[in-house]
Amino acid sequence: VPLRLIESVESREMFQLHIICKDSKVVRCHFATFKQCQEWVKRLNWAIAHPSRLEDLFALAYHAWCLGASADDEDQHVHLCRPGDHVRHRMEMEVRRMGFDTQNVWRVSDINCNYKYVCGVPPLAPVVENAVSVCSHDAAQTMDVV
């Protein structure tokens, strides 16, 4: 379980540890002794605690490093800070994992590439086939009328 996916950690029935995840999964761990169980509760709670300073988050430090990277480092790492083929690949893997029927009903739309329309929606998103073109067509007709 990735650490940032953990919502909370609880000790139950002396030797049992419950890890409650943000995606509603619960992982139960059994220990031989109460002391072991408590040690892991303490370790996990320390690991999932929110950082005291926002700057301590790795993503922010890495992003700042990417923005200030020298020309020598650019070809190695800076591309990770920008959207590219890796974003499309991850979306395709997720669509496949979730079982979307991309042959008949669904497709991946890049209408929001560069977050042009909505900043809180990913640049790629699964949509019902022809939904984007139908919406675009309706919007175009509305603009013609006005």
Side-chain angles (χ1 to χ4, degrees):
V1 175
L3 286 176
R4 292 291 170 212
L5 186 61
I6 298 174
E7 180 71 30
S8 63
V9 179
E10 301 173 355
S11 177
R12 296 203 180 159
E13 300 178 20
M14 301 235 350
F15 306 118
Q16 196 175 66
L17 174 73
H18 284 207
I19 301 171
I20 297 98
C21 299
K22 294 175 182 172
D23 61 355
S24 301
K25 291 180 184 171
V26 176
V27 178
R28 292 178 186 88
C29 302
H30 299 275
F31 293 91
T33 67
F34 176 72
K35 186 177 179 180
Q36 285 178 328
C37 184
Q38 290 305 304
E39 177 63 26
W40 277 101
V41 167
K42 187 171 108 180
R43 285 181 182 184
L44 288 172
N45 277 321
W46 178 84
I48 66 171
H50 295 288
S52 57
R53 298 176 328 139
L54 190 60
E55 296 81 24
D56 291 340
L57 290 174
F58 172 77
L60 293 175
Y62 184 72
H63 184 69
W65 178 83
C66 284
L67 294 176
S70 68
D72 297 337
D73 295 336
E74 187 169 342
D75 58 341
Q76 294 179 15
H77 301 290
V78 175
H79 69 281
L80 296 174
C81 294
R82 298 186 191 113
D85 289 339
H86 64 285
V87 173
R88 180 167 290 284
H89 176 71
R90 279 198 315 258
M91 176 57 75
E92 288 169 357
M93 296 299 290
E94 187 65 11
V95 165
R96 192 174 309 127
R97 183 190 71 78
M98 294 178 68
F100 285 100
D101 177 8
T102 55
Q103 300 300 316
N104 300 310
V105 181
W106 295 90
R107 69 182 176 89
V108 175
S109 171
D110 62 353
I111 194 167
N112 198 39
C113 66
N114 298 324
Y115 302 96
K116 183 178 177 182
Y117 296 103
V118 183
C119 62
V121 174
L124 301 173
V127 296
V128 175
E129 183 67 40
N130 296 325
V132 174
S133 60
V134 169
C135 292
S136 300
H137 178 72
D138 291 347
Q141 285 181 337
T142 305
M143 287 189 280
D144 288 341
V145 171
V146 173

